[in-house]
Amino acid sequence: NLLSRAAGQLQRVRDDWEKERHELSAALGFNRKLWTVFLGSVTGEESSLPKSLRENIANLGLFVMKQTMSVQADPTAGKLTVLININREIAAGLRAGQS
């Protein structure tokens, strides 16, 4: 649910860039904190996930962090799309795994 919430915040900023751009820093900050916690929990030694899956998630997390820095350095609405999509896809996968 938190990944979906972060995606929603980023999408609101992207979809109404002129009015919501002032919320960009907060939305990126929430997403970054969420991914930091997410990465720590799935890649830690105590994680029961297979090593290859942990490595894939770590690589995805590094991409998310790099994309976040890119948006911060040169803010454009279009750069948020990839972060939104990643969050939504991961959230959907996690929900499907609960079924």
Side-chain angles (χ1 to χ4, degrees):
N1 288 335
L2 291 173
L3 286 167
S4 295
R5 180 175 158 195
Q9 289 176 358
L10 293 167
Q11 184 166 352
R12 276 189 294 283
V13 172
R14 184 197 67 190
D15 290 351
D16 198 358
W17 184 251
E18 294 305 316
K19 290 183 181 177
E20 298 296 327
R21 184 175 174 182
H22 68 281
E23 294 293 329
L24 178 62
S25 181
L28 288 173
F30 179 75
N31 194 58
R32 185 179 53 250
K33 287 177 188 175
L34 177 60
W35 271 90
T36 299
V37 171
F38 182 54
L39 285 169
S41 67
V42 298
T43 60
E45 289 299 319
E46 66 281 354
S47 175
S48 61
L49 295 173
K51 183 180 178 185
S52 62
L53 181 57
R54 291 187 314 210
E55 289 172 350
N56 288 339
I57 292 170
N59 287 332
L60 185 58
L62 288 173
F63 176 81
V64 167
M65 297 304 179
K66 287 180 184 177
Q67 184 67 15
T68 298
M69 289 188 301
S70 174
V71 174
Q72 289 173 321
D74 182 27
T76 63
K79 287 184 179 180
L80 296 175
T81 301
V82 69
L83 295 173
I84 294 164
N85 291 341
I86 288 170
N87 284 3
R88 289 207 169 124
E89 292 296 323
I90 297 291
L94 290 171
R95 279 191 296 274
Q98 290 177 339
S99 301

